[in-house]
Amino acid sequence: MSHKRRQYTSEITKKQWKRLKWMLPKAHRGRPMELDLRQTINAILYVLVTECQWRNLPKEYPNPNSVYYHYRKWCLDGTWERINRDMVYLERRRVGGFAHPSAGIIDSQSVKVSDMGGVSGYDGNKKIKGRKRYILADSLGNLLHVVVSGANLDDRQGAMMVLTNAEHQITLRLITIWADKGYQGTLAEWVHQNYQATLEIVAPHKDQTGFVVQPYRTCIRLVRQISPFKQRL
């Protein structure tokens, strides 16, 4: 009988773990941590990829309660945001760019959810009951910030929320933000007054016929397919 541990496609490699482990919170003084942090990360990724319940984690992973404890703690203390930010900086430097982007793209996506609690609403435009993700990305498709709300939230309000939460990144170097025509109106003035940045609306050409992918819009499609940080390792 083979006792070799089963591997899952959602797991990170040794090389990826070597890059990631220094970004995790350092252990506090006291009793040494007995939990395998790499296996904890793998367990979290398994849940995110398969969308299974925490209690249904395979036996190869640590106790589901312990895994969820660390996942939730890192949500509350900003660890996930810091890891994503560091990964974005590393990726931008890898391709020869500045660590902080000068241009960004904002978009939203409505998704259906179950009735198992949490914020939700009805998006009349998309005819979807659920939640809406407001995403701010750089021109390479790297996720800069995301805000989740009920699907009934107005796009202008959602954009203000995600830009306000990403204020530190905007004030560093971001001077241009592209968006679709759903964000046109007074939002451009608000962006200029609060951040001295320019909101540019990317609209179809007046002579366009049929569907055509607009410039600066493909990056958002990339972001929608990216797992929280695994693609940046």
Side-chain angles (χ1 to χ4, degrees), residues 58-73:
K59 299 298 184 181
E60 290 87 349
Y61 294 129
N63 183 282
N65 292 327
S66 299
V67 174
Y68 179 77
Y69 167 80
H70 282 81
Y71 167 78
R72 183 61 177 165
K73 181 179 71 172

Side-chain angles (χ1 to χ4, degrees), residues 174-192:
L174 204 65
I175 59 175
T176 303
I177 302 172
W178 291 297
D180 65 21
K181 61 182 181 180
Y183 296 91
Q184 62 187 358
T186 57
L187 181 61
E189 182 179 353
W190 182 87
V191 170
H192 179 72

Side-chain angles (χ1 to χ4, degrees), residues 86-99:
D86 292 345
M87 290 296 180
V88 170
Y89 293 168
L90 290 174
E91 175 65 10
R92 290 184 59 84
R93 295 301 297 270
R94 185 187 69 82
V95 299
F98 288 99

Side-chain angles (χ1 to χ4, degrees), residues 6 13 19 27-28 51 66 127 139 191 210 233:
R6 183 175 179 180
T13 65
R19 292 184 179 183
H28 296 289
E51 299 183 357
S66 299
K127 310 300 181 184
S139 57
V191 170
L233 288 173

Side-chain angles (χ1 to χ4, degrees), residues 180-221:
D180 65 21
K181 61 182 181 180
Y183 296 91
Q184 62 187 358
T186 57
L187 181 61
E189 182 179 353
W190 182 87
V191 170
H192 179 72
Q193 289 180 348
N194 286 273
Y195 304 112
Q196 290 72 55
T198 301
L199 180 71
E200 295 185 7
I201 303 300
V202 180
H205 192 273
K206 61 180 181 179
D207 298 326
Q208 175 182 317
T209 57
F211 175 78
V212 177
V213 177
Q214 301 301 316
Y216 312 118
R217 303 287 298 152
T218 55
C219 296
I220 294 299
R221 293 178 176 82

